[in-house]
Amino acid sequence: MGAPAAPEQRPSEVPYHRIHRIGSYGRHGWWRALVGVLLAVLGMLLLMPLVVLLVFVAYFLLTGGDVADRTLSLVDTTDVTPAGLAYLNLSLAAIIPVVWFVTRVLHGLRPGWLSSVRPRIRWGWFAISLGLSVAALVATLVVSALLPAQADGATVSTDLNSFTSTTRDFVLVVLLLTPLQAAGEEYLFRGYLTQALGGVFANPRVAVVVAVLVPSLLFALAHGAQDAPIFFDRFAFGLVAGVLTIATGGLEAAIAMHVLNNFLAFGLALAFGDMSSALNPTGGTWWSIPVTLTQSVTYTALAIWVARATGVATRTAPGAPFARAGGAPQGAERGPVFEGTGPRV
């Protein structure tokens, strides 16, 4: 009998977007990425919206009233209600268990590897990222105030809306569910799609470009019909989030920026506009480009600088165990292997 085959040699450290290449049960292939992307997209567009809708319908049946009208109002984006916003946010948040499942079953990796290279949410770094997001938004608001009036002549009301019971319900939905909605989108576009596409290509330079560019494009397209300036704004947001995810080794910076951005948009809508217009913006103007670039450049520069200064890990730790579905992980589940060496967040 011949000698046993030597164990597969795995890289000691890999960046966030290449983690799938050392998962996939040791047999990485492009078909896994294709199947995974299809499953994730179907989960976002069909499965989870249906599951969440059934939960709402069950609630409507228990509480009485016209179930058909209440159900139709959930999906009416032209007249958004607090329940409709809650349905949308929960449907997007429900993407998280979908990509966790795909990561575990199809790629043989623990879901934590979608969060970061450590493999978990690094809450300290997330808190810092929230603060940096606030600083970037302040800079954005300053630049926005200095720009000329929008070219299309659109104006924003300066009259404060009345605070009603509907406003109260919207505020509760925004505060409680918007962070989950933002996290759901980031786990799909900057999490699973980034790792799936980044693992397909052997050339590292091609891999990083595709891992950032394609999810950003899909993220912008997923928002439906939109004016060119609005599309550009969302595409630029995706690019920044993608770059930060790879540069900081996890989703924390992208989620923080997404949460703060949505808080601001929804807050302004509740104070001076309406939620339906916020979810379906029209009349975009190219004057928004300087504003978009200000937020993008400011936040990217701050986040990368602070991440480097504080030693945020951007690659997997040497010898990190990649737990496989249906089997025990290689090495210890706990210990310094997940922490690396030197200062970190």
Side-chain angles (χ1 to χ4, degrees):
M1 180 179 296
E8 179 183 359
Q9 297 298 313
R10 297 181 180 273
S12 60
E13 295 181 319
V14 293
Y16 178 87
H17 64 293
R18 304 288 272 178
I19 285 177
H20 277 188
R21 292 189 69 84
I22 48 178
S24 302
Y25 302 97
R27 300 184 301 274
H28 178 79
W30 62 267
W31 68 268
R32 292 182 185 272
L34 177 61
V35 173
V37 169
L38 290 176
L39 290 175
V41 172
L42 287 175
M44 177 187 71
L45 297 178
L46 297 176
L47 178 60
M48 300 321 295
L50 178 60
V51 170
V52 176
L53 183 64
L54 292 176
V55 173
F56 272 87
V57 170
Y59 172 76
F60 294 155
L61 289 172
L62 291 174
T63 57
D66 192 321
V67 176
D69 285 346
R70 296 176 73 182
T71 302
L72 288 175
S73 70
L74 292 178
V75 295
D76 184 5
T77 59
T78 63
D79 185 18
V80 179
T81 63
L85 183 62
Y87 167 70
L88 175 63
N89 284 350
L90 288 172
S91 296
L92 292 171
I95 299 171
I96 297 176
V98 172
V99 295
W100 281 352
F101 175 82
V102 173
T103 296
R104 168 64 91 171
V105 173
L106 195 60
H107 302 281
L109 294 169
R110 289 193 291 122
W113 291 108
L114 284 175
S115 299
S116 78
V117 295
R118 276 303 175 254
R120 53 179 169 78
I121 288 289
R122 299 163 295 184
W123 292 107
W125 171 234
F126 177 73
I128 293 174
S129 297
L130 283 176
L132 299 178
S133 297
V134 173
L137 284 178
V138 170
T140 301
L141 292 174
V142 171
V143 171
S144 180
L146 296 176
L147 288 176
Q150 293 183 356
D152 60 3
T155 58
V156 178
S157 173
T158 57
D159 296 329
L160 189 64
N161 292 335
S162 300
F163 190 88
T164 64
S165 59
T166 300
T167 307
R168 176 204 61 205
D169 294 342
F170 269 127
V171 169
L172 290 175
V173 171
V174 169
L175 290 178
L176 296 177
L177 299 183
T178 292
L180 297 177
Q181 165 259 318
E185 293 187 41
E186 293 308 314
Y187 266 94
L188 173 61
F189 291 101
R190 257 64 66 179
Y192 183 77
L193 293 184
T194 293
Q195 290 188 349
L197 295 172
V200 168
F201 299 93
N203 187 306
R205 293 183 179 179
V206 173
V208 72
V209 171
V210 173
V212 172
L213 190 63
V214 175
S216 302
L217 180 61
L218 295 176
F219 173 75
L221 292 173
H223 286 80
Q226 52 200 304
D227 296 336
I230 297 173
F231 177 87
F232 175 85
D233 180 79
R234 287 164 172 166
F235 179 64
F237 180 96
L239 289 177
V240 171
V243 169
L244 286 175
T245 295
I246 295 174
T248 64
L251 297 176
E252 299 90 351
I255 294 175
M257 181 174 67
H258 204 149
V259 171
L260 263 294
N261 190 76
N262 286 7
F263 273 166
L264 177 64
F266 289 150
L268 291 176
L270 292 175
F272 302 105
D274 66 272
M275 192 61 68
S276 299
S277 298
L279 290 176
N280 304 281
T282 58
T285 168
W286 291 110
W287 280 112
S288 64
I289 293 180
V291 178
T292 297
L293 292 178
T294 298
Q295 180 184 22
S296 301
V297 173
T298 301
Y299 185 66
T300 302
L302 285 174
I304 292 178
W305 177 70
V306 173
R308 289 177 177 175
T310 56
V312 172
T314 62
R315 291 173 173 264
T316 60
F322 286 82
R324 299 175 177 182
Q330 302 171 359
E333 280 286 329
R334 296 180 295 273
V337 68
F338 288 114
E339 300 300 331
T341 57
R344 66 191 64 82
V345 175

